[in-house]
Amino acid sequence: SMKTISQACVAWLLLVTSWASLADQPLMPSKVLPVYSSECASCHMAYPPALLSKPAWQKIMRGLDKHYGTDASLDAKSQVQIETWLQANAGTYKRVEISSPDDRITTTQWFERKHRKIDKSVWVRKSINGKAQCQACHAGADRGDFEDDRVRIPL
């Protein structure tokens, strides 16, 4: 009957969408490690861990004494907690497996592809202050929300 066919279609759609959502890895876990927020976000945005791969986060965490030109060393306990949390939540999908040579989110292939139409002059605006300031254009960046429809590029 028509009712059985439509019920079967609804059941199939629910199954497919639940599979699709299982494949979607959240960029920022719902529970952010407090020490990650307090330590890392004291200098820059607390980047969603899924933006980089496990090997990239490992290199970053093991080189905090020379963290992109700054000494960002931590006490041993904080370092282990943050590195463990980053490893557990690092990106595992294809776009982050191909990391940038210098383990920067802003030089990954997917970042460059997504931002290829942004003129260089935009990045140096005081309201943006460089490619690493995701939250300048992505208000929900700290929650892992980088939805294209919500991007607002400040003047």
Side-chain angles (χ1 to χ4, degrees), residues 55-92:
W57 283 121
Q58 185 177 52
K59 278 198 257 175
I60 289 167
M61 289 304 296
R62 300 207 175 156
L64 289 176
D65 58 327
K66 47 192 178 309
H67 187 63
Y68 305 107
T70 303
D71 184 349
S73 298
L74 297 168
D75 63 90
K77 182 182 176 190
S78 297
Q79 175 139 356
V80 168
Q81 286 180 322
I82 293 171
E83 186 170 348
T84 302
W85 184 77
L86 288 170
Q87 289 295 310
N89 295 287
T92 56

Side-chain angles (χ1 to χ4, degrees), residues 114-115 137-138 145-152:
K114 289 296 283 183
H115 297 88
C137 304
H138 301 274
D145 179 1
F146 295 93
E147 183 58 47
D148 291 348
D149 295 342
R150 290 189 279 281
V151 171
R152 298 292 173 265

Side-chain angles (χ1 to χ4, degrees), residues 7 14 29 52 56 58 62 73 91 105 109 129 131:
Q7 286 174 334
L14 286 172
L52 285 174
Q58 185 177 52
R62 300 207 175 156
S73 298
I105 291 166
Q109 289 177 1
N129 195 26
K131 291 181 179 181

Side-chain angles (χ1 to χ4, degrees), residues 102-128:
D102 55 357
D103 300 307
R104 287 180 185 263
I105 291 166
T106 58
T107 59
T108 54
Q109 289 177 1
W110 63 263
F111 181 96
E112 289 181 345
R113 188 178 65 249
K114 289 296 283 183
H115 297 88
R116 69 187 177 278
K117 294 180 183 169
I118 307 292
D119 191 86
K120 288 177 183 161
S121 65
V122 172
W123 297 114
V124 297
R125 291 178 186 167
K126 282 192 165 113
S127 58
I128 295 175

